[in-house]
Amino acid sequence: MTAGLKPLSASRDTLLDRLGRRLADRLQSQTSGYEPYTPSDPETLARTLRPGDVLLVEGNQKVSAAIKYLTQSTWSHAALFVGDEVPLTLDQAARPTMERPQLIEVNIGEGCVAVPLTKYRTYNTRICRPVGLTPEDRDTLVGFMVSRLGLKYDLKNITDMLRYFLPTPPVPVRWRRRMIAFGSGDPTRAICSTLIAMAFEAIRYPILPEVTRAPGRAAATSPYSREEILHIRHHSLYTPRDFDLSPYFEIVKPTLKYGFDYKRLEWAPERKGP
């Protein structure tokens, strides 16, 4: 069983549990004013995704603002696409018209859950695709995530959650990313895409490269970026941004996958005058 995760029935309902749930609910609540630039058409997204793809999401929850600020990234959430491998519940089996959940994700309040693609139909998203997976490794990757469904994170570590109530913590640039690792309790692991990273580690698929410097050559990245990557690798804390930065994941754009032709676009007539 994954460290930090446990069945819900294994814990007793204490004051810290109740307080933790209230904080988690607050962090998961949506903020107003979010408008996506180019959300993917759900049907196009569905036919583009393959099992094993990582779907990055620009969230609009209270916790999203802090994660985007701390990681200096657009992406605040990640989910793994598993296709039709999620076991159906009795309710879903009795209602064939109900949309089948095809994404597995970890939320700070719910734990590891399966959700339908339409959950993110109004969000900016990005598909990060691992390249060259063997069928056996793809099955292992998907099976890893499916086997964790229903597991919960312990929310007693209140300190881990309190930091995310500051959307722009007043900390130096070099420490922003490391602020996520502070405490390293269960809520931190829930937010930081660790479960998806562990799934890829199970098949020994790389996410971030080894950071090395060739003799006599200048560093390709800033010292802050280099220290940041080393720190995150050492603590096995991954964020959605890491899949975007990884040289081992292909960025797939659904609109370009199926015969995009800019000549067929219909532009609105230009307005004349002031």
Side-chain angles (χ1 to χ4, degrees):
M1 184 177 293
T2 306
L5 285 165
K6 59 185 178 181
L8 181 61
S9 59
S11 61
R12 287 166 44 184
D13 193 20
T14 65
L15 178 61
L16 282 179
D17 285 318
R18 293 192 293 273
L19 179 58
R21 283 198 297 272
R22 291 189 65 179
L23 291 177
D25 289 342
R26 287 278 303 277
L27 288 173
Q28 292 287 90
S29 63
Q30 296 185 349
T31 57
S32 59
Y34 174 78
E35 293 185 8
Y37 289 105
T38 54
S40 296
D41 171 66
E43 293 184 3
T44 304
L45 188 64
R47 65 176 179 165
T48 304
L49 283 164
R50 301 175 186 170
D53 286 351
V54 177
L55 185 70
L56 304 183
V57 181
E58 182 188 40
N60 69 330
Q61 299 168 326
K62 291 185 182 300
V63 68
S64 304
I67 294 175
K68 286 188 272 189
Y69 176 77
L70 291 172
T71 63
Q72 295 293 283
S73 171
T74 298
W75 314 112
S76 62
H77 187 64
L80 190 80
F81 183 75
V82 298
D84 295 332
E85 296 302 313
V86 177
L88 294 177
T89 64
L90 291 177
D91 187 46
Q92 291 166 342
R95 298 168 60 189
T97 57
M98 181 181 292
E99 185 180 6
R100 185 178 188 126
Q102 294 183 303
L103 294 171
I104 295 181
E105 61 184 14
V106 176
N107 297 320
I108 191 171
E110 300 173 289
C112 188
V113 295
V115 298
L117 281 174
T118 52
K119 177 179 179 179
Y120 298 116
R121 65 181 178 274
T122 59
Y123 292 80
N124 294 321
T125 57
R126 170 165 292 175
I127 298 173
C128 298
R129 176 166 295 163
V131 177
L133 285 186
T134 65
E136 295 78 15
D137 281 347
R138 193 181 306 276
D139 290 344
T140 300
L141 180 71
V142 170
F144 182 100
M145 295 297 291
V146 170
S147 68
R148 269 64 181 179
L149 285 172
L151 297 177
K152 303 289 181 179
Y153 275 90
D154 188 348
L155 298 177
K156 291 188 181 70
N157 195 335
I158 305 301
T159 306
D160 266 7
M161 284 182 284
L162 288 177
R163 82 195 73 171
Y164 296 108
F165 282 93
L166 298 173
T168 54
V171 294
V173 174
R174 69 174 72 187
W175 293 343
R176 288 177 186 171
R177 177 71 173 265
R178 297 189 180 197
M179 188 175 173
I180 293 179
F182 173 74
S184 297
D186 288 340
T188 292
R189 287 195 285 269
I191 289 173
C192 296
S193 310
T194 299
L195 193 62
I196 296 176
M198 290 178 68
F200 280 100
E201 288 176 359
I203 60 172
R204 301 187 66 80
Y205 191 93
I207 299 173
L208 287 176
E210 292 288 347
V211 180
T212 58
R213 182 183 300 180
R217 298 184 63 182
T221 59
S222 70
Y224 296 161
S225 297
R226 184 173 299 274
E227 292 172 7
E228 186 174 281
I229 291 173
L230 284 171
H231 179 81
I232 296 301
R233 283 176 55 84
H234 179 265
H235 288 88
S236 298
L237 291 177
Y238 288 86
T239 67
R241 177 193 187 211
D242 297 326
F243 295 97
D244 192 13
L245 294 179
S246 173
Y248 306 112
F249 283 77
E250 176 188 3
I251 304 302
V252 181
K253 298 189 176 182
T255 54
L256 305 181
K257 254 329 209 185
Y258 298 98
F260 170 73
D261 182 359
Y262 75 96
K263 291 290 189 181
R264 299 177 63 182
L265 293 177
E266 295 185 9
W267 296 88
E270 294 185 6
R271 298 176 61 182
K272 296 181 181 180

